[in-house]
Amino acid sequence: MNVFDQMVARYGIEEGKKNAIYEVMQEIILAGLNRGGFFNKAAFYGGTCLRIFHDMKRFSEDMDFSLIAPDVDFKLEDYFLSIIHEFQAVGKEVVISKKEKRTFGRVESAFLKENTEVYDVKFRTENVIKIKIKVDVDPPMKFDTEQKLLLLPYSFMTRCFVLPDLYAGKMHALVFRKWKQRVKGRDWYDFEWYVRKGVMLNFNHLQERISQFEGIEMSRELFIEKLKERLADTDIDLARQDVLPFIKNPEELEIWSNDYFLQLAEMIKFQN
């Protein structure tokens, strides 16, 4: 059994082999990026960061990164070899390709900035197993980072957004993500997680994200109003369907309703 298979074997049958493979690939990508010095310039954020470093009980597919300072000339290609070599060290061959903007679907492209670079990492022999990497090279600022430890495939540190700023990114996505019939219930699941954990929301970073992505200014009061409009109008059944493949215990979602999420919105705590 190679190192990759040993890492997958840590997961129980109930978690699903595909989800386990996704997460092991994500950990190896982080290891390769670290070895290449990527985290001197960038930080990890998003749902996958929550899953890997904060034990959120849902799996995640994509990996989101932000430079810690704008650099429109940044190229993830400079780190391809480090990622490829890391996979080779655990017994796997991968290919990395840059995704062209014209290949994005309508929902996906509507929430993707022009200065976000997107890449796919996939096994040479299993094209259905693919990790999408997004790097914002002109990021909204006013965020903080911290070093988080992973022990496999070796011990290393990953620079990550702190929780209040991860929270801000999720709330921006929840309110402004463009969708019609495709509700991303994972946003709702993560929102619930932040409220339950009592995480403070960094509204300064959220304002930066809204200003850069949406081109508008927004007060706390107006944001909460927009959030409640989104929560009240959401098709909760569609939200459940989206998140079910990524969790072990469907009973977690039984309490979900529009009123439940509206009450969660009343419990948001803002960082001073």
Side-chain angles (χ1 to χ4, degrees):
M1 183 182 290
N2 61 30
V3 175
F4 185 91
D5 293 334
Q6 291 173 8
M7 291 175 70
V8 171
R10 294 175 298 163
Y11 297 84
I13 295 174
E14 71 277 6
E15 289 164 311
K17 185 175 181 181
K18 187 173 182 179
N19 282 331
I21 290 173
Y22 269 118
E23 189 155 310
V24 170
M25 286 183 71
Q26 291 159 354
E27 291 171 341
I28 294 167
I29 289 168
L30 291 173
L33 290 171
N34 172 74
R35 212 183 288 274
F38 175 77
F39 293 110
N40 295 327
K41 295 183 176 182
F44 190 26
Y45 75 99
T48 306
C49 183
L50 275 188
R51 164 67 189 178
I52 292 176
F53 291 107
H54 296 283
D55 197 33
M56 184 179 66
K57 301 301 183 184
R58 79 159 177 88
F59 286 91
S60 186
E61 294 175 312
D62 301 343
M63 303 182 76
D64 295 291
F65 298 95
S66 168
L67 297 189
I68 57 176
D71 180 2
V72 295
D73 296 320
F74 175 87
K75 299 297 180 188
L76 189 67
E77 287 90 333
D78 295 341
Y79 303 91
F80 280 9
L81 275 180
S82 295
I83 296 172
I84 291 168
H85 289 162
E86 206 63 52
F87 274 96
Q88 289 173 339
V90 299
K92 290 288 185 179
E93 294 288 336
V94 295
V95 291
I96 309 174
S97 58
K98 187 171 182 177
K99 195 168 183 182
E100 298 301 325
K101 297 291 193 294
R102 66 176 180 272
T103 64
F104 291 107
R106 183 181 300 173
V107 173
E108 186 176 37
S109 61
F111 201 68
L112 193 67
K113 290 196 306 179
E114 278 301 312
N115 43 15
T116 301
E117 302 298 334
V118 184
Y119 304 82
D120 288 333
V121 180
K122 59 186 178 182
F123 294 139
R124 288 187 180 277
T125 56
E126 300 174 62
N127 291 336
V128 294
I129 303 293
K130 180 172 63 178
I131 303 292
K132 185 193 300 176
I133 299 176
K134 291 177 280 186
V135 184
D136 190 342
V137 301
D138 185 20
M141 303 306 291
K142 298 186 180 178
F143 62 84
D144 292 316
T145 64
E146 60 183 344
Q147 298 290 335
K148 302 293 288 184
L149 174 66
L150 269 184
L151 299 178
L152 292 172
Y154 63 92
S155 294
F156 66 96
M157 293 289 187
T158 297
R159 185 198 292 261
C160 301
F161 277 40
V162 297
L163 277 171
D165 300 330
L166 286 167
Y167 194 2
K170 179 53 61 177
M171 297 310 292
H172 171 242
L174 195 155
V175 172
F176 291 100
R177 195 187 298 276
K178 310 298 190 296
W179 47 261
K180 292 183 180 179
Q181 297 304 312
R182 180 186 170 190
V183 180
K184 193 163 185 181
R186 284 161 278 181
D187 289 341
W188 272 252
Y189 187 95
D190 296 0
F191 168 48
E192 178 189 38
W193 185 91
Y194 282 114
V195 174
R196 182 180 290 117
K197 294 293 183 180
V199 178
M200 306 291 282
L201 173 60
N202 181 359
F203 194 73
N204 289 331
H205 181 53
L206 178 54
Q207 283 180 313
E208 288 288 302
R209 298 189 75 84
I210 294 171
S211 177
Q212 189 182 110
F213 279 80
E214 315 304 329
I216 59 175
E217 301 297 323
M218 186 169 283
S219 66
R220 290 185 185 184
E221 293 74 21
L222 182 56
F223 177 77
I224 292 296
E225 181 181 327
K226 293 290 186 184
L227 170 63
K228 287 181 176 178
E229 288 175 5
R230 175 58 65 100
L231 297 176
D233 292 342
T234 299
D235 185 324
I236 297 299
D237 287 336
L238 290 179
R240 284 196 191 94
Q241 290 170 24
D242 174 78
V243 78
L244 275 172
F246 300 96
I247 63 174
K248 292 189 291 183
N249 182 13
E251 293 178 358
E252 291 182 72
L253 312 183
E254 288 181 359
I255 194 173
W256 279 25
S257 69
N258 297 92
D259 182 62
Y260 173 65
F261 283 102
L262 286 168
Q263 292 198 40
L264 289 180
E266 295 289 345
M267 299 178 185
I268 292 174
K269 299 175 183 178
F270 290 98
Q271 193 177 55
N272 294 329

